[in-house]
Amino acid sequence: MIADSSCPVVAHALWVLYPTFYCRQALLRRHNVRGISRGLTTERCKLAALLLLYVAAMCGSLACVAQLYAAYHILFQWDGLPWASAVVAAFAVIAVCFVYAEFSFGYFAGFYLFMMIAGYLWLNQFSVFTYNHISSGLSAAASATAFILPALFIRSPLPQPRMLSARDVDRLIDAILVFGLAAVLIGAAYDFRIVSIEHIYDYRETLRTPRAVNYMIGIASGALLPFAFACSVELGKPWRAAVALLLLLALYPITLSKISLLTSIWLVVMTILSRILELRVAVVVSLFAPLTAGLILFALAKHNWISSTIALPYLGLVNFRMIAIPSLAMDYYNDFFSRHELTHFCQISLLKPLMSCPYNEQISVVIYKAFPTGGYFNASLFATEGIASVGPLFAPITAFACGLVIGLANRASAHLPPRFVLVSGAVLVQLLLNVPFTTVLLTHGALLLFLLWYLTPITR
């Protein structure tokens, strides 16, 4: 089943992308740089092949997830396979941008969001909801393009009149670790419960942490502690790096969040990948490897070679929660807001007092009540700042604005070692898949991280 669902995607995408690579190779030969061009072309072809293999594997994963989580309205029918493959293959042409762009934070974020949209376009072909699937699919593809172009190609460094000294950076790391410890201790004074990952939803509703403390925890876990960890690794301070990881792990019993539980592991994995792989390849592998492991476990369990009790927890965490849910959220949001009033950005806390809002609760709660499956459906910028706020027609405009902000982050970090940017921004990229863009900027400290990138004197 997996091989059959994947092959059309690879075939169509390779057919479209091949002329681009051929023309590029001919152009490089014309400039008499055959040795260099051959190496560059080979490297880019390998990257393109890896990107297309991931698209194919993701479609196969969604087909597998549909067998396990049909209650979430994730469906797959064989008669819809040709059209779904064609749609995703046509969208995969945009992957050529990732073949020729250099690494940046925008590359990292853009790839994850690109794959999320590809997943939505696949699910869109099998959706049981009754909104206009053609216009919503076109809007999603246009939004992805509008975000990716500025996020990948705005990279020129900002002028830097003043930077922190090496001593200032050393003190900053210590200050962040103290701030992280304070966030853990204050948060634990309100809520501290050690439960397994399967039961976090049973207790999450009982959390009573004040909003100010939640902001403190969000900024520490999303921006400051990953920044301190990356600085410590880059500057050869292993003990401080270990303290940052322990503080991040200590936030799990306070927040009962899967991201908090896995952040420390995620940062270590991204650090290892940044040392052994070219960074663009590392970005792709960071999704490709865990997804492929889930497919292997699914196949083994399907043939009774391993117990489903081994495969299902992993599939639920990675292939379903990490890969499928961000794409599925767009299906839910499209259906809900095709029948209900748009938010016009009233979900942003700073704007609520200034405007009348048709919804008294958070949008994630509103969506959960409309589709009472699983937990609350926080969603990405494409769903929240796009579909919910302005509707599918104008969603590409908001996506472009968000892409410009990411382009500014690229400029702020242009002087830094790329692997430092990869590691320190790794948590934010995960948040962008599941949290509104404005929330990531403010509540999870993205703007603060961008400022720290701008001021940090770590050089290439």
Side-chain angles (χ1 to χ4, degrees):
M1 178 186 65
I2 296 172
D4 291 342
S5 65
S6 300
C7 289
V9 179
V10 177
H12 281 286
L14 284 175
W15 175 258
V16 176
L17 286 176
Y18 176 75
T20 302
F21 299 131
Y22 179 82
C23 293
R24 173 67 174 173
Q25 190 174 23
L27 181 63
L28 288 171
R29 284 201 193 101
R30 186 178 303 174
H31 286 82
N32 296 319
V33 286
R34 293 183 179 178
I36 298 175
S37 68
R38 190 176 296 111
L40 291 174
T41 303
T42 301
E43 179 182 326
R44 286 169 177 158
C45 284
K46 289 180 179 177
L47 180 59
L50 185 61
L51 287 165
L52 297 177
L53 284 173
Y54 176 78
V55 172
M58 182 195 64
C59 294
S61 175
L62 291 173
C64 295
V65 166
Q67 299 183 37
L68 303 174
Y69 298 96
Y72 286 79
H73 308 289
I74 301 178
L75 301 177
F76 172 76
Q77 293 93 24
W78 283 102
D79 57 357
L81 175 61
W83 180 246
S85 299
V87 169
V88 175
F91 176 69
V93 175
I94 303 174
V96 73
C97 295
F98 296 97
V99 174
Y100 289 108
E102 298 299 325
F103 174 82
S104 63
F105 176 71
Y107 189 101
F108 197 179
F111 172 74
Y112 272 55
L113 292 171
F114 165 78
M115 289 304 173
M116 186 195 74
I117 295 293
Y120 166 69
L121 293 176
W122 173 273
L123 295 175
N124 185 33
Q125 307 309 309
F126 305 105
S127 175
V128 296
F129 299 130
T130 57
Y131 63 88
N132 190 323
H133 292 277
I134 294 177
S135 63
S136 296
L138 291 173
S139 172
S143 297
T145 305
F147 177 86
I148 287 170
L149 291 178
L152 262 63
F153 298 110
I154 297 179
R155 300 180 62 250
S156 60
L158 289 171
Q160 293 180 301
R162 185 182 184 279
M163 297 176 68
L164 298 176
S165 67
R167 178 175 292 183
D168 290 337
V169 173
D170 202 53
R171 292 172 178 172
L172 177 62
I173 295 173
D174 290 338
I176 290 174
L177 295 179
V178 171
F179 181 86
L181 178 61
V184 169
L185 295 177
I186 296 172
Y190 289 96
D191 294 292
F192 189 89
R193 194 187 302 269
I194 299 177
V195 298
S196 65
I197 195 169
E198 293 84 4
H199 297 98
I200 58 175
Y201 295 111
D202 298 335
Y203 298 97
R204 189 179 288 180
E205 295 301 314
T206 66
L207 298 179
R208 53 191 177 88
T209 311
R211 178 175 293 184
V213 179
N214 284 331
Y215 286 157
M216 186 178 182
I217 292 173
I219 291 172
S221 60
L224 293 183
L225 288 174
F227 174 84
F229 170 79
C231 279
S232 300
V233 170
E234 200 68 28
L235 298 175
K237 301 178 184 296
W239 289 109
R240 294 182 186 181
V243 170
L245 294 178
L246 290 174
L247 290 173
L248 286 166
L249 185 60
L251 291 173
Y252 169 70
I254 300 168
T255 62
L256 298 183
S257 165
K258 293 176 182 177
I259 289 182
S260 297
L261 178 62
L262 300 175
T263 292
S264 296
I265 298 173
W266 179 245
L267 289 175
V268 171
V269 168
M270 294 310 300
T271 300
I272 294 172
L273 290 179
S274 71
R275 301 294 175 122
I276 64 176
L277 297 174
E278 194 268 332
L279 293 186
R280 295 176 300 172
V281 174
V283 167
V284 180
V285 169
S286 68
L287 278 181
F288 192 10
L291 179 139
T292 303
L295 288 176
I296 294 172
L297 289 174
F298 178 86
L300 294 175
K302 189 82 171 177
H303 292 87
N304 295 318
W305 292 338
I306 63 171
S307 170
S308 61
T309 58
I310 298 175
L312 287 180
Y314 183 92
L315 287 163
L317 181 61
V318 176
N319 297 65
F320 175 60
R321 180 64 189 88
M322 181 179 174
I323 306 296
I325 284 292
S327 299
L328 180 63
M330 293 190 64
D331 199 26
Y332 283 19
Y333 275 64
N334 269 310
D335 182 64
F336 181 85
F337 286 102
S338 69
R339 297 177 283 106
H340 296 83
E341 188 175 350
L342 300 176
T343 68
H344 304 293
F345 301 103
C346 73
Q347 75 275 6
I348 301 175
S349 299
L350 294 176
L351 298 181
K352 274 188 177 180
L354 306 177
M355 57 194 301
S356 114
C357 190
Y359 307 100
N360 295 322
E361 299 175 297
Q362 293 182 356
I363 300 303
S364 60
V365 179
V366 173
I367 297 297
Y368 171 69
K369 290 183 177 180
F371 308 93
T373 52
Y376 294 148
F377 261 83
N378 281 308
S380 69
L381 64 97
F382 296 119
T384 309
E385 280 84 7
I387 298 165
S389 296
V390 298
L393 180 61
F394 297 104
I397 299 175
T398 61
F400 181 72
C402 295
L404 291 176
V405 175
I406 298 300
L408 180 63
N410 293 343
R411 299 190 67 190
S413 59
H415 66 286
L416 295 171
R419 68 183 182 189
F420 173 81
V421 176
L422 175 79
V423 176
S424 58
V427 178
L428 286 186
V429 169
Q430 287 286 352
L431 292 170
L432 285 171
L433 288 177
N434 300 284
V435 180
F437 191 73
T438 49
T439 304
V440 175
L441 291 180
L442 300 174
T443 306
H444 294 282
L447 286 177
L448 182 56
L449 179 61
F450 300 162
L451 177 61
L452 291 175
W453 281 346
Y454 177 64
L455 298 174
T456 301
I458 297 176
T459 55
R460 293 174 183 268

